[in-house]
Amino acid sequence: SIYEMFGNECCLSTGEVIKVIGFKVNKLIASICENNEVSRFSAKVELPLNFPGLYKVVADKTPYVSIEEITRKVSIGPTRFGHPCFYSPEDIKLANLTIKHGEQITFNSVEEVNGTIAVNCGVVRNNQSHSFTLPLSQEGKFYECEDDQIYTLKEIAEWKIPKCRNRIVKLSNTLHMWDSFNPLPENFDGCLILTPVYEVQAVMKFRKDIVHILSDLDVEVKDITDCYDISSFLQPLSLEDVFERTSKEFPMVAEIMEGPSGSQKPYNLLYTGKEIIIYKKYQATRVLASEIRSDSPKRHFLIPMSYKGKFKRRPREFPTAYDLEIARNEKEQLHVVATKAFDSPHKELFSVSVGDQFLVQQCQTSEVLYEGRKKLIDVLACEQILSDTYKKVLLPMYMEGGFVEVIHDKKQYQLSEICKEFRLPFNVKVSVRDLSVEEDVLAAVPGLQFEEEITDSYLLISSASSPVESWEIPVYRLNMSVHLLGKDVQTVVPPVTKTTVEEISEEQYYMVRRYENQTLHPPPRPPKKPT
């Protein structure tokens, strides 16, 4: 049998031994969903995994009947996607803990405990986490919990579609237009039923790449696992698999079995068959930055602290007086110009006209007369700049106006200085490009907003044949498979690390912000008008 996939022709000869290493969703068949059923008027459409948009997963109403069924059908793993949550309509009595009915159970990992396979689980009570294990033999009804996270289609295909089940999703956010014909109705914002179409991932005896075989290929196979030495096959590892290795196992030499797509360096150097040295794994800090522009789509970047360019400040915009208080800095006085008029309902507070200039002082409380009664509200003390003097004024913190910063600071800053001296978000433009790289992608951007510092997982790698420079590659944003070679690493100390500014897609931008902010509390809302 001969077939072609992704432009690669593959011949499956009679007697060929294939080691199946995994199953992967190749594409999705979508139907418009009404009342958890396929709409009578809906045609089935094919959606590629890179189809744009962010989606919420609708909890499956069909229960699982045992823990063993959950482990067979649901993805449970070490990554941030692999922690599904379930609840039981009945109490579950364990040796030292009773799981109450309706209580959310998080499934963290599957491990062998005292010779028995079990699932490590957790529940949160009064902000405290309680860990326990559930054996695969545990029976009952287990329902999916509601999931308030948002996902790309690719993430849903990889982690959120149980085996032998469909998945209902609700469109949460359309990020940008689909370049080709959009198969969904115009302005669609409803639910879809997704049916996965799988492909088989396999390795063959005399090939060093991963073979992709569509699951509907008409070929007969026989299971010979029990009578064949499978150690003679290559063992592909994803970057996540490599990252899970202990630190003692680094450095290591690997050969790329499937390289990433992209023309940006170093991704264009990571092609199938190339040997690389993986020196170490670690967490590294990046500054998440977005292009300043009124129209969309904006470009987004992850900038390493090793970036050697310099920045000049650009004016920030503030929609409310509350935002002025957040941005206030003890080191310098915040000078702003009003871009929107505001008529104060209280005579004790100042009414703002377009063009008024203020020096922001501090937050305080003030008494105002409201419907015949005195009321204490939060206000922002400022000095209005007049032609020859300053006038002390109070602005209500709830004031919805508009202000633009006046910049007096002409200094050029390194990235680390900005992160140390100022509170993000912070607006800048590149004043001196990074001369250590061939092309500084940030230099061509007219303005950038530094949004937040994030921490992410990286591997430090170099070419094995000519290790003259090393690169940091992201573990969770790069699709790449390698197999380890039993070679000794000649250069234990990594060569100089090249700075790489990573440009990320809009979907990746939302994912980065989502995971970074999971552990953070949302900022307090601006005060409301007194009632």
Side-chain angles (χ1 to χ4, degrees):
S1 175
I2 297 178
Y3 77 97
E4 185 174 319
M5 185 149 182
F6 305 126
N8 296 322
E9 188 179 272
C10 180
C11 178
L12 299 180
S13 309
T14 302
E16 184 91 62
V17 180
I18 302 169
K19 179 185 176 185
V20 176
I21 59 171
F23 300 90
K24 185 179 178 183
V25 177
N26 176 262
K27 59 188 175 184
L28 296 163
I29 305 299
S31 308
I32 293 175
C33 173
E34 293 178 359
N35 300 321
N36 289 344
E37 293 180 354
V38 175
S39 169
R40 287 184 301 157
F41 308 104
S42 170
K44 291 185 177 180
V45 296
E46 190 177 295
L47 297 181
L49 300 189
N50 62 344
F51 189 77
L54 295 172
Y55 304 82
K56 280 197 170 183
V57 169
V58 177
D60 195 338
K61 298 290 191 292
T62 306
Y64 295 84
V65 297
S66 68
I67 299 300
E68 187 270 338
E69 185 189 8
I70 292 175
T71 59
R72 272 193 297 108
K73 295 184 176 179
V74 179
S75 297
I76 302 170
T79 74
R80 49 202 174 192
F81 296 110
H83 304 305
C85 297
F86 296 86
Y87 70 90
S88 168
E90 306 289 337
D91 287 358
I92 302 174
K93 291 184 171 58
L94 304 172
N96 55 356
L97 187 69
T98 297
I99 310 304
K100 298 171 186 171
H101 63 275
E103 193 167 20
Q104 180 172 298
I105 307 168
T106 302
F107 285 45
N108 293 315
S109 62
V110 181
E111 291 182 15
E112 187 174 325
V113 180
N114 299 326
T116 304
I117 302 296
V119 180
N120 286 324
C121 302
V123 294
V124 176
R125 294 174 180 171
N126 300 322
N127 294 324
Q128 279 198 322
S129 181
H130 301 269
S131 298
F132 56 95
T133 60
L134 290 175
L136 299 195
S137 58
Q138 180 79 43
E139 294 183 343
K141 287 185 176 179
F142 298 93
Y143 291 87
E144 273 190 338
C145 294
E146 294 292 337
D147 186 348
D148 60 356
Q149 292 292 344
I150 52 174
Y151 303 94
T152 63
L153 269 191
K154 187 172 184 294
E155 290 172 338
I156 290 170
E158 291 178 358
W159 289 95
K160 297 299 175 183
I161 300 184
K163 292 182 180 68
C164 308
R165 295 196 183 195
N166 297 332
R167 171 60 82 193
I168 299 176
V169 298
K170 178 169 175 53
L171 185 60
S172 174
N173 188 358
T174 49
L175 295 180
H176 52 77
M177 293 301 292
W178 186 233
D179 294 336
S180 54
F181 170 72
N182 187 345
L184 299 179
E186 191 175 356
N187 300 322
F188 176 75
D189 64 351
C191 289
L192 296 172
I193 296 181
L194 303 179
T195 303
V197 177
Y198 289 92
E199 68 177 36
V200 178
Q201 297 171 305
V203 287
M204 298 167 71
K205 199 68 176 288
F206 301 108
R207 292 179 65 128
K208 288 191 173 182
D209 56 348
I210 296 173
V211 178
H212 302 260
I213 307 171
L214 280 176
S215 56
D216 57 0
L217 183 70
D218 187 14
V219 60
E220 290 185 4
V221 295
K222 182 181 178 183
D223 185 358
I224 59 169
T225 307
D226 294 336
C227 56
Y228 196 88
D229 179 16
I230 59 172
S231 63
S232 60
F233 285 93
L234 299 178
Q235 178 60 49
L237 299 172
S238 67
L239 295 186
E240 290 98 322
D241 295 331
V242 175
F243 195 80
E244 289 300 314
R245 299 267 170 149
T246 63
S247 297
K248 294 177 184 176
E249 296 178 67
F250 294 87
M252 57 182 70
V253 181
E255 182 178 349
I256 298 173
M257 296 185 72
E258 268 193 342
S261 57
S263 56
Q264 184 182 356
K265 195 175 181 181
Y267 306 148
N268 60 340
L269 305 175
L270 303 176
Y271 49 83
T272 300
K274 182 168 181 78
E275 292 186 11
I276 58 173
I277 300 172
I278 306 174
Y279 291 97
K280 59 180 178 177
K281 65 172 188 174
Y282 52 91
Q283 302 283 311
T285 301
R286 294 289 186 270
V287 172
L288 179 62
S290 294
E291 182 180 20
I292 298 173
R293 57 186 296 173
S294 54
D295 57 337
S296 59
K298 298 177 181 178
R299 298 170 71 189
H300 306 285
F301 305 92
L302 288 172
I303 310 172
M305 288 300 178
S306 59
Y307 178 80
K308 296 177 177 61
K310 291 189 175 181
F311 301 94
K312 277 190 174 179
R313 296 171 62 174
R314 279 196 55 166
R316 290 171 285 180
E317 296 183 6
F318 306 100
T320 68
Y322 175 75
D323 293 295
L324 295 177
E325 164 60 17
I326 291 176
R328 195 166 57 83
N329 189 327
E330 299 297 335
K331 292 185 179 179
E332 64 171 1
Q333 205 156 31
L334 184 58
H335 178 189
V336 295
V337 178
T339 57
K340 187 177 176 183
F342 170 77
D343 191 20
S344 172
H346 312 290
K347 64 178 184 3
E348 300 92 341
L349 306 180
F350 190 69
S351 292
V352 176
S353 300
V354 174
D356 284 350
Q357 297 192 41
F358 302 95
L359 296 176
V360 178
Q361 302 290 328
Q362 64 192 30
C363 174
Q364 59 188 58
T365 55
S366 176
E367 272 191 350
V368 296
L369 202 62
Y370 186 75
E371 293 182 348
R373 291 190 304 174
K374 288 186 176 181
K375 191 153 189 163
L376 208 61
I377 67 167
D378 290 327
V379 295
L380 189 65
C382 298
E383 288 186 338
Q384 184 190 11
I385 302 174
L386 302 173
S387 56
D388 55 354
T389 186
Y390 298 93
K391 176 185 176 184
K392 292 188 180 298
V393 298
L394 300 176
L395 304 179
M397 201 70 85
Y398 63 76
M399 168 186 166
E400 291 185 10
F403 302 91
V404 172
E405 182 179 22
V406 179
I407 302 288
H408 301 284
D409 181 5
K410 305 300 181 187
K411 182 182 172 182
Q412 298 184 111
Y413 290 91
Q414 300 275 7
L415 181 61
S416 57
E417 291 177 309
I418 291 174
C419 294
K420 185 179 178 181
E421 295 183 26
F422 301 99
R423 182 177 289 175
L424 304 187
F426 198 74
N427 294 358
V428 298
K429 65 177 179 180
V430 175
S431 55
V432 178
R433 75 175 186 87
D434 187 344
L435 299 173
S436 70
V437 294
E438 294 172 18
E439 182 186 1
D440 185 349
V441 294
L442 300 181
V445 181
L448 288 166
Q449 182 174 77
F450 292 163
E451 297 185 19
E452 61 185 321
E453 288 185 53
I454 69 148
T455 303
D456 210 350
S457 304
Y458 290 87
L459 295 171
L460 186 66
I461 69 163
S462 76
S463 166
S465 57
S466 53
V468 291
E469 57 187 24
S470 59
W471 310 285
E472 294 175 324
I473 58 172
V475 172
Y476 296 109
R477 285 185 302 280
L478 205 60
N479 288 322
M480 184 169 130
S481 297
V482 301
H483 73 94
L484 302 183
L485 303 174
K487 295 183 178 181
D488 291 331
V489 178
Q490 302 300 320
T491 313
V492 178
V493 179
V496 61
T497 303
K498 297 292 284 186
T499 298
T500 303
V501 174
E502 185 185 353
E503 183 166 358
I504 58 175
S505 68
E506 199 162 358
E507 284 94 340
Q508 290 172 329
Y509 164 79
Y510 278 97
M511 297 308 108
V512 166
R513 295 216 70 176
R514 175 184 68 185
Y515 290 120
E516 188 65 21
N517 290 325
Q518 270 186 339
T519 56
L520 301 178
H521 298 294
R525 300 292 299 164
K528 294 181 179 179
K529 295 181 183 180
T531 54

